[in-house]
Structures are given as structure tokens and as C-alpha cells.
Amino acid sequence: MITGYKYLIEQDALDAQTALRVFYLGDPIPPDRETREWVDVYFGTYEGESFWYIVGDFTEVLGTPTTFNIDTNG
Amino acid sequence: MATTIFLVNPREEAVTPPSYLLDTYSAAAAYSLRQLKTGVTSVVRVRRSSDNRESDFTATEITDGTLTSFCGGGDGFVVTWYDQSGNGYNQNQTSATSQPKIVSSGSLLTLNSIGAIQFDGSNDYLTRGTALTELHSVPFSVWGVANNEGNNSNGQVYSNRLPSGSNVGTFMRPDRTTNRRLFNIDTGATNNEYNYLSTDNTNSQRLLSFIIDNSSNGEAFLNGTSQETLTLTGTLSTGGNFDIGRQSLGTVYHNGYIQEVIIWNSDESSNRTDIESNINTHYGIY
């Protein structure tokens, strides 16, 4: 079970990623930093549904997170 | 009474530079918080939590307090684990929340009292962003020092794996379950498993070794003791990603500490005991 944010449209996930980057790392990011994003955006599937998601609790920026399942392979 | 004084010119003692593991056994890729080769400077790049500033650190600066001073009373996260082989196969993580931790609340994280990188089992990993082609053909030899804090078989010291949806690739695991996986090579048609002799469901620090020779005969070792020997069935895959701390391009993450990963694209059987002795002398694993 993942705690985070699930998006059915990829651009919505990327917009959320950008919001977190700007909030936590600033904009623009200083050129001497190699950290470019605050979070990764992952692609997942579960029970035939495809989606993009962000892992973690970022209530301050994205609101209350949800919990959801993803198909795993391992 | 005459006094005779003999002046002796001070002679400088011949200075012998320290000899590091890779000075003797040149590797294809090597990651550690200790120095492994003469001439290596930075071994890790760290982001501090207080203001997200980043800095490179030598092995000495990790142990002499320079790193913890940089982090103040906060945390430090690994941005880059530099490849000490000279091949430039650095392992990076450019997303802050996926960076594994090296300093916690101003203290260096350790395993068995030696500096260690902590992976959270949730989303932490380091990646080269592409495969390590040295693992695409035999022979090769790999060593890892790690533990598993999760009561599971998810531990992934490293993997060199094709994209999600396929488990094809090579994997080194500090498994704690009855699966007993130490190393496996999944060729798609066959999952070649090199297992522990018995289950160790503890978070013990482990020296994991795997060697596969020119004839595809593979053998896994735990703390210098042979575990399982198997001739590889199938052909090693090409492509994929080389990641430390997760099943590359997948959803299985390592929960625990990793201290060292060294890879040779050669059969190091004849050097195995020397290499393991060098590693164990530093880490005191067994």
C-alpha cells in the first residue's frame, strides 16, 4: 500500500512535481546543486488501471495524501 | 677535555603510500565510503537538509567530522556515490526524497560502527540511469556489504535489470526469508537462483560475493563461505538499468544499510580470499 498522490493524467503529476520542487528547492535551483526535483513521478498499474503517482505526505503543498495499491514485481 | 659531537643528518624514512584494494585488483565499478584506490578524492556528494546545499566529501572527511559539521544538527542525504574505479560510473539521485541518508540529526549513520548509507525501503535508490554493460556477459565478480532491516526478501544491494514488467537481470540480495536469495540471474526463460544455505532472519551485516566464470559456472558466498554453485542456464540480458538500493526500474526497494559494492568484469576466483580479507579487515563482519 502506497501513501501519496495518484494521478490519471501524467501532466497533473508533473505539475504536482513542479509545485513541490518550487516549494522545497526554490526556483530557479542554484546551478551548483545536482538535486533537481523534490520527488520522483512513477508510473503504476493496479487491477488494469494505469496511473502516475508521487510517494509521500506533502500536505502543505498537495493536500492530504491517499493510500492506494500498485502492482509490484519482485 | 675535548668533546666530540657527532652530527647525524636526519634521513627521511622512505614513505610508502597506502595501498588500497583497487590498486592491486582493478575493478569495473566500485562504491564505498572508504577509499579504494590511490588518487581518489571525493567518494560521496551530500545534500544537507537545513538549506539543501550540496558538497563533496573524501573518505577522511566522512570520519573526521567534516561531513557532520557540514550537516549541522540536521540530516545529510546522498546525491552521488562516486565510482572509485576510474570508469566514471557514478550512482546518482537527483530527487531529494529518493536520496538515501548518510547523516541523521548530526550523526554519521553506521553499521557495525562503520559509516553506512541507509535506504528507507520506500523510495530511496541510486542509479546510473543506464545499464552496467560489464554485467551483460560472463565472467564477472561482485562484492557487497549490506544488511536488511526489513523482514523480507526485498533487499536489493544492487540490480541490473530490464524495465518494469520483466524481472530479467542480475540481483544481489540480503534476503531474510525462506526464499534464501543471495544472488539471482533471471534470463527470462530461467531464474537462476544462488541461495543461502540457510535462512538468516536477522539484520546482520553481511559480506555477499558472487563469481561467475568463463564457462558460466556461478558461485555465491556469504562472509567468505560458499553457499550455492550453479551453472547458468540461458543468456544474460542486455539493456536495463544499474541501480543500488532497489530493483532497478521496479517497485521493490532496499530497507537497510549498504556500505560497499564492487564489481569486476573478470573471474576473481583466484583473488577472492584476498579481496574478502581486505573487506572484512575494514568492516569486521565475521
Side-chain angles (χ1 to χ4, degrees):
Chain A
M1 191 74 85
I2 301 285
T3 297
Y5 304 86
K6 180 177 167 183
Y7 303 91
L8 298 179
I9 299 171
E10 183 178 17
Q11 189 58 52
D12 290 346
L14 296 175
D15 289 346
Q17 183 187 41
T18 299
L20 290 170
R21 183 187 73 223
V22 171
F23 185 85
Y24 288 107
L25 297 177
D27 186 32
I29 296 171
D32 62 340
R33 313 281 169 84
E34 293 185 16
T35 303
R36 308 311 300 173
E37 297 288 350
W38 192 252
V39 295
D40 275 339
V41 171
Y42 302 97
F43 178 77
T45 60
Y46 188 69
E47 293 185 338
E49 181 184 48
S50 298
F51 51 88
W52 290 262
Y53 65 96
I54 288 169
V55 178
D57 181 350
F58 306 104
T59 303
E60 204 170 2
V61 182
L62 302 180
T64 305
T66 61
T67 56
F68 52 91
N69 284 305
I70 56 170
D71 294 324
T72 59
N73 36 50
Chain B
M1 180 172 153
T3 301
T4 304
I5 300 174
F6 294 96
L7 293 175
V8 178
N9 287 331
R11 287 177 54 198
E12 286 190 13
E13 299 259 340
V15 176
T16 305
S19 178
Y20 300 101
L21 179 60
L22 301 194
D23 292 342
T24 307
Y25 305 110
S26 184
Y31 311 92
S32 182
L33 297 178
R34 65 171 175 148
Q35 187 169 346
L36 293 173
K37 188 175 184 177
T38 298
V40 166
T41 52
S42 301
V43 299
V44 70
R45 183 174 184 83
V46 174
R47 176 183 63 85
R48 66 185 182 193
S49 59
S50 58
D51 60 2
N52 294 310
R53 267 193 59 200
E54 298 172 6
S55 187
D56 291 332
F57 295 91
T58 65
T60 299
E61 289 170 337
I62 291 170
T63 57
D64 71 3
T66 304
L67 170 60
T68 50
S69 293
F70 170 77
C71 293
D75 297 334
F77 298 91
V78 174
V79 178
T80 303
W81 203 359
Y82 290 106
D83 173 19
Q84 298 188 40
S85 74
N87 288 330
Y89 297 157
N90 299 334
Q91 288 276 304
N92 302 298
Q93 181 48 262
T94 58
S95 292
T97 57
S98 292
Q99 290 166 348
K101 189 183 282 188
I102 186 169
V103 172
S104 182
S105 301
S107 297
L108 179 68
L109 289 167
T110 60
L111 177 61
N112 198 16
S113 303
I114 304 285
I117 299 175
Q118 182 186 43
F119 295 76
D120 68 358
S122 171
N123 61 353
D124 287 355
Y125 69 100
L126 298 166
T127 184
R128 199 184 153 224
T130 185
L132 197 67
T133 57
E134 283 79 355
L135 293 170
H136 286 163
S137 60
V138 297
F140 63 81
S141 309
V142 294
W143 270 263
V145 179
N147 84 336
N148 185 354
E149 296 286 341
N151 181 12
N152 56 40
S153 64
N154 291 350
Q156 303 278 330
V157 177
Y158 87 85
S159 69
N160 198 60
R161 173 180 180 264
L162 292 179
S164 185
S166 155
N167 285 328
V168 175
T170 58
F171 311 83
M172 175 174 272
R173 300 179 166 193
D175 196 332
R176 290 177 56 166
T177 75
T178 53
N179 288 333
R180 295 186 290 112
R181 295 171 188 154
L182 195 162
F183 198 88
N184 62 301
I185 302 175
D186 194 331
T187 63
T190 306
N191 186 15
N192 300 267
E193 294 190 347
Y194 302 83
N195 295 327
Y196 295 95
L197 289 173
S198 59
T199 300
D200 177 6
N201 187 13
T202 72
N203 64 351
S204 59
Q205 183 188 36
R206 305 178 189 188
L207 171 55
L208 307 175
S209 322
F210 178 77
I211 299 174
I212 188 164
D213 66 17
N214 264 322
S215 301
S216 295
N217 299 309
E219 185 170 11
F221 300 84
L222 169 64
N223 299 339
T225 300
S226 179
Q227 302 295 296
E228 183 163 359
T229 303
L230 184 71
T231 300
L232 177 71
T233 299
T235 306
L236 283 161
S237 64
T238 58
N241 253 27
F242 176 66
D243 292 353
I244 291 176
R246 76 164 179 174
Q247 188 181 80
S248 37
L249 300 167
T251 54
V252 177
Y253 291 85
H254 183 75
N255 179 0
Y257 295 90
I258 300 175
Q259 293 173 301
E260 193 159 289
V261 178
I262 309 177
I263 295 168
W264 281 264
N265 57 338
S266 52
D267 175 0
E268 293 295 323
S269 294
S270 61
N271 303 320
R272 182 180 63 81
T273 54
D274 278 357
I275 292 169
E276 288 171 347
S277 174
N278 177 286
I279 295 171
N280 192 48
T281 297
H282 182 76
Y283 293 101
I285 303 165
Y286 55 94

